Amino acid sequence: MPPFVRTVGELTMYGTRFREHVSSGYSWSHGDVTLKVRLIVAEALGLPLEQVRPETTFVELESC
């Protein structure tokens, strides 16, 4: 499990693929989408999830 995934909810979002989601009929909330993007960015940059907030700019991420 990636070190930046701390909760069951985060693990659920991390492990859910879009194709699986579409077939389930569940509609992702804004918070779900935000968390999914944060998880992807944190993993790609090797950062803790706490450093990738919705309001974080990409310029700020470059300095991490």
Side-chain angles (χ1 to χ4, degrees):
M1 179 165 43
F4 51 82
V5 175
R6 301 161 306 179
T7 68
V8 172
E10 289 175 358
L11 181 59
T12 301
M13 290 303 295
Y14 177 78
T16 302
R17 303 288 180 232
F18 183 73
R19 275 180 253 152
E20 296 165 353
H21 154 72
V22 169
S23 64
S24 75
Y26 174 75
S27 183
W28 284 12
S29 70
H30 181 268
D32 292 339
V33 173
T34 299
L35 176 58
K36 187 69 172 176
V37 171
R38 288 178 62 219
L39 289 166
I40 291 168
V41 171
E43 180 177 36
L45 298 177
L47 296 172
L49 186 60
E50 298 82 28
Q51 288 186 353
V52 183
R53 300 173 316 276
E55 64 276 4
T56 304
T57 66
F58 287 104
V59 171
E60 291 171 324
L61 291 173
E62 286 178 353
S63 65
C64 292

